[in-house]
Amino acid sequence: MSTVRARVWRFTIEKGKAGAEAVQAVEIGQGPLPVSLAAMVNVNALACDLRKTVDPRVRDHEVALLLSYILGDQGKGPLGVECNALDSSSLHIKRFVSECTGLGVMSAASEVLFDWTHKTGGLSSFDVLPGKLKGAYKKTGVRPDLLYDLADGPVAGEARGRRRDNPQMFPPGKGTTEQKERLEQLARWSAAHGDHAYFMSWVWLGQGGVYVDIFLPDGSAALKGLKTGWIEVPGDPKPWQFRVRPPDRRRAVAPAPAPDEELVVTLPGVSGQAATREVIRQTGPAAEEAMNRAFAREEDQLGTLAGVPVRGRWIRGDLLGETRHEVLLGVLGERIELDRRAQRERLASLTGDRLDTYLDGRLLTLVRPIDGPRPEWDQISTELLELT
């Protein structure tokens, strides 16, 4: 499986009467983290408004576009970037590729860092669903991208992706101005939601490949399972410190969405962590309904997995002319629970005869190099069923 170069920070928030007042971050260390292309595609394949029609043509086009710029194989080498093509692209395409890579790397790397198990629940498209909810989350201000339901409590994940045109892929020394500003916003968001747990990742794309800065707040539920065996270079113990600016209350508040666009969740008598979990529980059916619509629109049945029909199609990542990857996107008729830890360990030990496959809920993804035959469904299902 491919890797990304990771640099992990641990930071603390100093609080006062007005909330978050200062941030102090210390680098834990750097090293290679295994990242599955199939996992990256999986989290992006339904990064859309689940209340609306999931158009397979749009989804397929976006997946093909992402994999036309990101380079990887089933070996142990680092993920690469088609930088000449990325720099020749329009600004909105560059942002799309960078942000999709940021979202995918955050999700795939976080499983490795925190050693999450099959009992970990996740909701993608956080910025779409909870932004329309009433009760647990405010509709104004910053909202992180993903929401994970861990045993120790819900954890929000914020993902960013940026093109970096510099031979030194990690910004030297302390974090960048953009990272500082986002940490300030997240600190205020967390304080406004009962010290909600969160973490932030910042992916850099460049000639050196794909790099990621990951910021973990002290006391976060995510830190309780943090793995450090991947670290090759210990971090600089000298802290990065800065003051948190108070919010500008003169700024206009964004208007609330129209009533017919809201997904209303009422939480009488529920607050804090319990309210967040109730949001996750009540928004789950919206995601299931979106999967039902996607399943109904897929015409080709690939096969069955533990007796459950799987429909889908192969997509070629060839929007730039040269095809390097082909992706299988499949939708299961119903959920099959896999052991996430076993799935992750299998991906980390991929050899030439193993498949880069990833199953999350009802969405199955498989990425393969184009220079070989497509795997038969029997091989795909056999490898996946090893994890049930």
Side-chain angles (χ1 to χ4, degrees):
M1 184 165 53
S2 299
T3 60
V4 298
R5 187 75 182 181
R7 178 171 64 173
V8 175
W9 303 76
R10 181 194 301 267
F11 68 94
T12 56
I13 304 291
E14 297 178 13
K15 296 181 180 179
K17 294 181 180 180
E21 293 186 348
V23 175
Q24 177 173 291
V26 176
E27 182 186 340
I28 298 175
Q30 303 180 24
L33 278 179
V35 170
S36 159
L37 271 178
M40 287 181 57
V41 170
N42 197 287
V43 74
N44 278 289
L46 277 181
C48 54
D49 191 336
L50 298 181
R51 296 161 301 146
K52 300 178 181 179
T53 301
V54 179
D55 191 326
R57 299 171 303 167
V58 176
R59 180 202 61 196
D60 296 355
H61 178 77
E62 291 182 349
V63 168
L65 182 61
L66 173 62
L67 289 184
S68 295
Y69 289 89
I70 301 301
L71 316 176
D73 55 41
Q74 290 188 228
K76 297 295 184 180
L79 281 181
V81 182
E82 188 67 72
C83 288
N84 291 336
L86 191 62
D87 292 340
S88 299
S89 302
S90 61
L91 183 59
H92 64 278
I93 294 296
K94 187 182 299 185
R95 285 175 175 168
F96 171 82
V97 174
S98 299
E99 294 291 355
C100 285
T101 305
L103 186 66
V105 168
M106 182 190 74
S107 185
S110 60
E111 287 204 25
V112 177
L113 275 178
F114 309 138
D115 196 27
W116 291 346
T117 69
H118 64 288
K119 295 181 180 180
T120 300
L123 262 184
S124 61
S125 299
F126 181 101
D127 198 42
V128 174
L129 286 174
K132 306 296 185 184
L133 295 176
K134 291 182 177 179
Y137 293 101
K138 297 179 181 179
K139 292 196 284 276
T140 59
V142 63
R143 290 193 303 273
D145 297 298
L146 293 179
L147 182 63
Y148 301 98
D149 187 18
L150 306 186
D152 294 316
V155 176
E158 167 76 357
R160 281 291 177 266
R162 295 291 185 270
R163 167 73 168 99
R164 181 165 171 78
D165 189 12
N166 191 304
Q168 185 173 346
M169 288 298 296
F170 281 132
K174 300 175 175 61
T176 67
T177 300
E178 281 188 294
Q179 290 173 331
K180 171 184 171 181
E181 292 175 350
R182 201 60 176 173
L183 281 175
E184 289 179 352
Q185 294 170 337
L186 289 169
R188 290 195 291 266
W189 176 87
S190 175
H193 292 85
D195 293 330
H196 197 297
Y198 65 98
F199 68 98
M200 181 179 79
S201 71
W202 207 280
V203 170
W204 306 103
L205 288 74
Q207 296 290 348
V210 180
Y211 285 56
V212 57
D213 270 317
I214 300 175
F215 295 84
L216 306 172
D218 271 334
S220 169
L223 270 173
K224 293 185 178 181
L226 179 65
K227 303 301 178 183
T228 57
W230 56 274
I231 292 178
E232 294 179 341
V233 182
D236 183 352
K238 185 177 180 180
W240 166 39
Q241 299 172 302
F242 60 88
R243 303 295 297 178
V244 175
R245 297 169 299 176
D248 187 352
R249 303 189 183 281
R250 297 173 300 174
R251 292 182 179 178
V253 176
D260 61 349
E261 294 180 357
E262 292 182 348
L263 177 60
V264 178
V265 174
T266 55
L267 304 173
V270 182
S271 62
Q273 193 176 107
T276 304
R277 284 206 157 126
E278 184 66 10
V279 168
I280 294 174
R281 187 189 71 79
Q282 293 195 31
T283 55
E288 285 298 306
E289 178 56 31
M291 295 302 295
N292 288 336
R293 295 195 301 271
F295 182 79
R297 299 186 68 173
E298 293 291 356
E299 298 179 355
D300 298 329
Q301 180 164 322
L302 303 170
T304 61
L305 188 63
V308 176
V310 183
R311 295 178 181 167
R313 69 189 78 187
W314 287 94
I315 306 166
R316 294 170 66 90
D318 58 357
L319 297 185
L320 296 179
E322 181 180 0
T323 305
R324 297 184 180 89
H325 305 104
E326 192 174 35
V327 183
L328 177 66
L329 276 181
V331 181
L332 278 66
E334 61 187 64
R335 285 178 174 265
I336 295 178
E337 295 300 328
L338 299 186
D339 186 328
R340 283 182 177 269
R341 182 175 293 161
Q343 179 171 232
R344 184 167 59 255
E345 291 173 350
R346 183 189 67 82
L347 288 171
S349 60
L350 280 178
T351 59
D353 60 342
R354 303 287 280 183
L355 302 175
D356 186 1
T357 57
Y358 192 83
L359 177 61
D360 187 13
R362 293 171 60 187
L363 186 64
L364 167 67
T365 49
L366 184 155
V367 179
R368 74 174 191 92
I370 202 65
D371 56 351
R374 288 178 178 175
E376 298 292 334
W377 179 256
D378 286 346
Q379 181 185 0
I380 298 171
S381 60
T382 297
E383 290 199 20
L384 288 171
L385 290 176
E386 290 176 0
L387 310 174
T388 57

